[in-house]
Amino acid sequence: MTDPELDTPVLDDHLHLDPDAGRGLDAIRDFRRLGGTHLLVVNKPSWHLGVEADAGEDFRAVFERTLEVVADADDLLPGRAWPVLGVHPGLISRLVDERGRSAAAARDLMRAGLDVAAEYVRDGRALALKSGRPHYDVPEEVWDASNAVLRYALELGAELDCAVQLHTEASEDLTEIATWAEDRGLSAHRVVKHYAGATLAGPTPSVMCRKEWLREAAERGDPFLMETDFVDDPDRPGAVMGPKTVPRRVRMLRSEGYDDAIRLAHVETPARVYGIDTEATLTG
C-alpha cells in the first residue's frame, strides 16, 4: 500500500544494489520507510562485482546476482522491483585501456553481453535493457565502437519490445539516438536517458532528483521519470543520491502543488515506457 501522506506509487527509475559489499536491502528499507513503493534495479558494472568478462556468458553471473537481490527487494516493497540488465558503456575503456583489447573486440564482447541480457528479457525475468556510450572523451574508434553497441541494444529492444535505458554524455538533445531507435522499430519514448536533466529532446528523460530539475520537469508537463542513481558503494558513501531521495522529492512536489507531475512520473510514464502498472502492483 502507499504511504498515506503521499497516496501514490513512488518509483525510483534507476538505482543499483550491492547485497555483498554495499547497503543492499537496508537501502530498500529506507526507501520504503519514506514512502517508496517501486524500483527499477540496474545491474552494477560487471567489474564492480568482480567479473572481468572475456565472453558474453561471463556476464551471466552479474545478471543472476542482480536477479537475486531484486527478488529480495520485491519481498520488502509494497509495490514491485524489476531488474534492468545490460553492459555498462564504460566497460569499453576498461577493455581497451587496461586490458589491451581492440575497440572492435571490445564492441563484440559487449554485444555478446547484451545478447545474454536479452535472454532474461525474452523469458520475462528482466524488464528492460541497459546500454549507452561513454560520457567522457574517448578516441574516435572507441566512440564508433560504443555507438555500434548502443545501436545493437536498440535493435534488441525493438526485437524484444522492451525499453532500453541509456547511460550517455550529458545532453539536452539526443534526437540522433531517438532516430536510430525509430529506424530499428523501437519507439523513441521507450528509450530512456538515465541521469537526465529536465530538458531533453528525443528519448524519455529519467530526471535526477535535483529540486530545480524536478520543478522544471513538472512545469514542462512532458513525460518524465525520477531517479537517484544510488550506487550502493561503501567506498563512495556520498556518491550521487541516497535511496530516500525520490520519496522525499515526491513530498516536495506534493507540497508545492505538482500533483499532476507526480502522477505523470510515477504512473503514466512508467506505463508508457515500460508497460508496467504501478497502481495495480500495489498490495494491501
Side-chain angles (χ1 to χ4, degrees):
M1 58 185 173
T2 59
D3 185 312
E5 293 182 27
L6 298 178
D7 192 29
T8 180
V10 174
L11 168 73
D12 189 333
D13 183 61
H14 185 111
L15 87 168
H16 307 276
L17 294 174
D18 190 332
D20 303 311
R23 295 193 62 219
L25 297 182
D26 283 341
I28 304 308
R29 294 183 181 96
D30 281 350
F31 174 72
R32 174 175 181 160
R33 191 157 44 245
L34 269 289
T37 62
H38 293 77
L39 294 171
L40 266 62
V41 181
V42 183
N43 63 266
K44 296 193 78 170
S46 50
W47 62 97
H48 286 188
L49 295 180
V51 174
E52 297 291 354
D54 291 306
E57 278 297 314
D58 295 339
F59 292 94
R60 196 175 297 277
V62 175
F63 301 153
E64 289 290 342
R65 192 70 187 100
T66 303
L67 262 62
E68 290 171 4
V69 71
V70 169
D72 290 338
D74 200 63
D75 289 340
L76 291 175
L77 291 171
R80 284 283 311 274
W82 291 275
V84 176
L85 303 181
V87 179
H88 193 285
L91 178 61
I92 197 165
S93 296
R94 190 171 183 87
L95 291 169
V96 172
D97 297 341
E98 299 181 26
R99 299 182 60 193
R101 297 287 188 98
S102 69
R107 174 201 65 205
D108 292 346
L109 173 57
M110 294 169 73
R111 282 174 169 173
L114 285 169
D115 283 333
V116 177
E119 293 179 22
Y120 290 84
V121 177
R122 188 174 291 111
D123 67 17
R125 287 188 290 164
L127 179 67
L129 294 174
K130 183 261 180 75
S131 186
R133 62 192 184 194
H135 63 274
Y136 47 86
D137 290 338
V138 293
E140 184 177 359
E141 65 272 15
V142 171
W143 183 251
D144 290 344
S146 297
N147 278 318
V149 174
L150 191 162
R151 287 191 291 267
Y152 187 63
L154 299 174
E155 184 178 320
L156 288 172
E159 175 191 325
L160 297 165
D161 190 25
C162 76
V164 180
Q165 282 199 14
L166 296 181
H167 174 117
T168 75
E169 72 280 8
S171 177
E172 292 186 354
D173 188 349
L174 293 176
T175 51
E176 179 184 48
I177 291 177
T179 299
W180 290 347
E182 296 278 359
D183 288 347
R184 286 159 178 77
L186 179 65
S187 296
H189 71 267
R190 305 203 73 192
V191 181
V192 177
K193 164 67 170 111
H194 140 67
Y195 210 117
T199 302
L200 180 65
T204 297
S206 184
V207 179
M208 282 295 292
C209 280
R210 298 182 185 176
K211 294 177 182 179
E212 63 276 17
W213 287 1
L214 292 176
R215 291 186 180 109
E216 183 181 343
E219 289 288 344
R220 290 177 61 83
D222 295 331
F224 75 103
L225 299 153
M226 292 171 58
E227 69 165 80
T228 58
D229 191 25
F230 175 61
V231 297
D232 203 9
D233 185 343
D235 295 328
R236 302 167 62 205
V240 201
M241 293 182 170
K244 300 177 184 178
T245 309
V246 168
R248 281 176 169 162
R249 296 295 186 263
V250 170
R251 279 181 165 77
M252 178 199 79
L253 292 172
R254 179 77 82 209
S255 71
E256 296 177 7
Y258 291 115
D259 290 1
D260 289 345
I262 293 170
R263 181 167 183 82
L264 181 63
H266 297 276
V267 178
E268 295 171 6
T269 305
R272 183 171 187 257
V273 172
Y274 300 108
I276 57 177
D277 189 331
T278 56
E279 293 179 314
T281 48
L282 282 169
T283 58

